[in-house]
């Protein structure tokens, strides 16, 4: 039985130039797995704890040296000599060692880096691609579905200084036959959008997730640009729109400030309904603030039969919050972020709970990313059918799409691709 022989963490930088945790995990036969954790900007308050040192003299307080010590010390001590065979056992050993509800003792960034590196090492021992190894480990049949990419080509909110309230305006190639053509459509629309914005006198520098960050006055103006780009690139009717409003970020004291217009929760709901009447908007993430359960449920009651309504900060990849949302029909889709919960097994539990209740599961990057492509493998291995991993620029974003192109090639004739909408 192959066992863990060495675990080593180091501090590296994420795509925003902030420190994050990378782990190398070695097995007794010499096999090795490496993984790095991402980091959010518009983080939900209910997420597992990302441990940062807080010493302003080092990386402005953002260093992760304690998390690294936790990996190299206590986590390595309990896992050395343990079998790599079962991911749940490995994750449970770390959960027991941490013994807090939100991983505040060891840090979710410390635990997750080890959890993902263990998956990579196991795939190595098994001589399987990571997506196949994940599918086998978690009993998923037919890991052959390439996810629908939701490509965030206009950045706002906390991810840009554009002033736009909605954090992400995405294009979704629902009418395209295969994954590589979907990426081609995304790239052509992205570059067409660049010309349109330039012609209109807007800046074409990009935000944290590689989308443009023009100082448009409203979501409507952003959508008009997107539709124009889709049309001019020749994809009319084949590419639809999605947003991540990330509404917690424009919510204070019971009111939502949407591009300068103050709205109550129910006025915001009506606003989304009217946007859906006007635009081909098929997916809305975090429509309301993270504890405005009634606002979400109201929108779901009104348009949930025909629109995907995704909970991100609302659900934080946490099975208890997801179960509550299932029971109360709060949303019909769950955003999946590994570092919101902090282990691979718990992330898989969140996906399978959603899938068992006919909620869609959208695997997601964070706004602070690394070159790690784990989420591309997770989306295929767990057959989630959707991924959002940014725009068609910046290597921290396109490396995930590139990995999916490789998987599509590996799958050959077995590759499936279909619209969940
Ligand atoms: P974050 O943004 O990584 O900054 O939280 C991504 C999202 O909200 O989906
Ligand atoms: Zn979000």
């Amino acid at each position: 039985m192959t066992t863990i022989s060495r675990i080593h963490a180091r501090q590296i930088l994420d795509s925003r130039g902030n420190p994050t945790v990378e782990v190398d995990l070695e097995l007794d036969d010499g096999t090795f797995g490496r993984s790095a954790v991402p980091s959010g900007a518009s983080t939900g308050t209910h997420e597992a704890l990302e441990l940062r040192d807080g010493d302003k003299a080092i990386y402005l307080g953002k260093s992760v040296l304690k998390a690294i010590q936790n990996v190299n010390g206590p986590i390595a001590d309990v896992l050395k000599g343990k079998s790599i065979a079962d991911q749940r056992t490995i994750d449970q050993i770390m959960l027991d060692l941490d013994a807090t509800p939100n991983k505040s003792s060891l840090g979710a960034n410390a635990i997750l880096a080890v959890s993902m590196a263990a998956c990579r090492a196991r795939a190595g021992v098994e001589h399987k691609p990571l997506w196949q190894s994940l599918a086998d480990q978690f009993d998923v049949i037919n890991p052959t579905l390439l996810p629908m990419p939701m490509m965030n080509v206009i950045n706002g909110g906390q991810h840009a200084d554009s002033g736009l309230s909605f954090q992400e305006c995405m294009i979704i190639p629902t009418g395209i036959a295969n994954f590589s053509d979907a990426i081609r459509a995304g790239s052509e629309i992205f570059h067409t959008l660049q010309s349109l914005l330039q012609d209109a006198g807007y800046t074409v520098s990009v935000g944290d997730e590689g989308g443009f960050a023009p100082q448009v006055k409203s979501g409507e103006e952003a959508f008009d640009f997107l539709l124009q780009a889709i049309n001019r690139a020749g994809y009319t009717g084949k590419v639809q729109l999605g947003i991540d409003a990330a509404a917690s970020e424009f919510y204070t004291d019971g009111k939502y400030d949407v591009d300068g217009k103050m709205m109550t929760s129910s006025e915001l709901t009506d606003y989304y309904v009217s946007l859906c009447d006007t635009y081909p908007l098929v997916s809305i993430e975090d429509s309301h603030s993270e504890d405005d359960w009634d606002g979400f449920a109201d929108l779901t009651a009104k348009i949930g039969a025909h629109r995907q309504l995704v909970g991100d900060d609302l659900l934080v990849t946490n099975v208890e919050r997801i179960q509550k949302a299932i029971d109360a029909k709060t949303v019909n889709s769950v955003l999946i972020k590994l570092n919101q919960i902090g282990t691979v097994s718990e992330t898989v539990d969140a996906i399978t709970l959603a899938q068992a209740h006919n909620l869609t599961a959208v695997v997601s990057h964070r706004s602070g990313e690394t070159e790690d492509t784990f989420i591309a493998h997770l989306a295929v291995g767990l057959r989630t059918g959707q991924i959002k991993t940014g725009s068609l620029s910046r290597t921290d974003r396109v490396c995930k799409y590139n990995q999916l192109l490789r998987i599509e090639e590996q799958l050959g004739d077995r590759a499936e691709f279909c619209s969940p909408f």
Side-chain angles (χ1 to χ4, degrees):
M1 187 194 300
T2 320
T3 59
I4 297 169
S5 59
R6 180 171 173 267
I7 299 179
H8 174 71
R10 68 176 66 82
Q11 181 167 269
I12 62 164
L13 295 185
D14 72 13
S15 57
R16 277 193 280 254
N18 291 322
T20 191
V21 182
E22 178 174 84
V23 161
D24 291 354
L25 185 147
E26 241 176 78
L27 305 179
D28 59 356
D29 68 351
T31 314
F32 142 99
R34 171 175 293 161
S35 219
V37 297
S39 175
S42 62
T43 43
T45 48
H46 305 287
E47 295 191 21
L49 183 106
E50 177 183 73
L51 189 60
R52 294 205 179 264
D53 301 330
D55 176 352
K56 292 270 182 254
I58 308 171
Y59 280 111
L60 309 169
K62 295 198 169 206
S63 62
V64 290
L65 300 172
K66 279 185 209 135
I68 276 155
Q69 279 162 16
N70 289 343
V71 175
N72 292 339
I75 293 179
D77 289 347
V78 288
L79 285 180
K80 259 188 246 167
K82 297 288 190 304
S83 165
I84 194 70
D86 182 47
Q87 187 63 31
R88 283 191 188 281
T89 308
I90 292 169
D91 289 341
Q92 193 57 52
I93 290 171
M94 291 191 280
L95 294 180
D96 291 344
L97 181 69
D98 179 82
T100 67
N102 66 345
K103 303 179 179 66
S104 54
S105 143
L106 296 169
N109 42 353
I111 295 172
L112 179 63
V114 176
S115 182
M116 294 195 296
C119 291
R120 275 232 161 74
R122 180 178 318 101
V125 173
E126 294 171 345
H127 300 291
K128 289 176 188 167
L130 179 56
W131 53 271
Q132 180 71 62
S133 175
L134 286 168
D136 294 346
Q137 179 71 204
F138 295 104
D139 302 319
V140 178
I141 300 160
N142 293 332
T144 44
L145 178 64
L146 272 300
M148 176 61 59
M150 304 172 71
M151 298 171 278
N152 174 15
V153 292
I154 294 187
N155 294 184
Q158 294 297 304
H159 296 168
D161 60 1
S162 61
L164 180 65
S165 291
F166 293 160
Q167 180 179 275
E168 302 170 17
C169 300
M170 294 175 276
I171 48 174
I172 313 177
T174 53
I176 307 280
N178 59 59
F179 182 80
S180 38
D181 285 344
I183 293 300
R184 175 186 150 192
S187 167
E188 292 174 3
I189 294 164
F190 175 69
H191 290 106
T192 307
L193 177 63
Q194 177 168 17
S195 310
L196 288 169
L197 290 171
Q198 245 157 356
D199 291 349
Y202 283 115
T203 155
V204 288
S205 50
V206 298
D208 284 355
E209 297 189 349
F212 300 115
Q215 299 198 330
V216 288
K217 283 173 282 308
S218 64
E220 285 95 324
E221 191 183 351
F223 298 161
D224 288 337
F225 270 112
L226 292 181
L227 289 186
Q228 244 187 299
I230 290 167
N231 291 345
R232 192 180 285 185
Y235 291 101
T236 310
K238 293 185 175 166
V239 177
Q240 293 174 288
L241 306 182
I243 55 165
D244 178 4
S248 303
E249 303 297 331
F250 53 82
Y251 174 82
T252 3
D253 297 334
K255 285 272 186 181
Y256 292 92
D257 178 351
V258 186
D259 301 315
K261 290 195 196 86
M262 301 308 285
M263 299 184 193
T264 62
S265 181
S266 64
E267 284 165 350
L268 181 63
T269 298
D270 293 342
Y271 177 53
Y272 290 123
V273 173
S274 79
L275 287 178
C276 288
D277 287 341
T278 316
Y279 294 97
L281 186 58
V282 294
S283 180
I284 302 176
E285 178 184 332
D286 277 355
S287 59
H288 293 73
S289 184
E290 60 197 349
D291 289 311
D292 185 358
W293 290 80
D294 292 344
F296 278 96
D298 190 22
L299 185 63
T300 300
K302 289 201 161 104
I303 59 169
H306 312 288
R307 296 290 186 276
Q308 176 170 270
L309 303 171
V310 192
D312 171 17
D313 292 355
L314 174 79
L315 304 179
V316 292
T317 317
N318 178 314
V319 289
E320 280 158 31
R321 290 180 75 89
I322 296 169
Q323 187 62 57
K324 183 174 167 190
I326 291 166
D327 295 342
K329 296 188 172 33
T330 312
V331 286
N332 58 23
S333 179
V334 182
L335 202 77
I336 299 293
K337 289 169 166 168
L338 286 146
N339 80 324
Q340 281 182 328
I341 191 69
T343 62
V344 174
S345 319
E346 289 167 291
T347 304
V348 168
D349 290 342
I351 295 171
T352 47
L353 178 62
Q355 289 172 335
H357 291 86
N358 291 322
L359 274 70
T360 53
V362 181
V363 170
S364 173
H365 63 163
R366 297 309 303 248
S367 51
E369 266 295 334
T370 72
E371 61 270 38
D372 195 324
T373 61
F374 195 97
I375 59 167
H377 294 273
L378 183 71
V380 176
L382 270 290
R383 252 192 105 84
T384 62
Q386 293 184 65
I387 194 167
K388 70 162 198 175
T389 185
S391 179
L392 288 306
S393 80
R394 297 184 55 143
T395 306
D396 39 304
R397 311 298 143 185
V398 300
C399 64
K400 280 70 165 177
Y401 297 129
N402 288 344
Q403 185 55 46
L404 287 163
L405 290 169
R406 292 182 202 106
I407 297 173
E408 182 186 40
E409 190 182 82
Q410 276 176 321
L411 283 166
D413 290 346
R414 292 189 297 144
E416 302 167 68
F417 185 68
C418 63
S419 172
F421 300 101

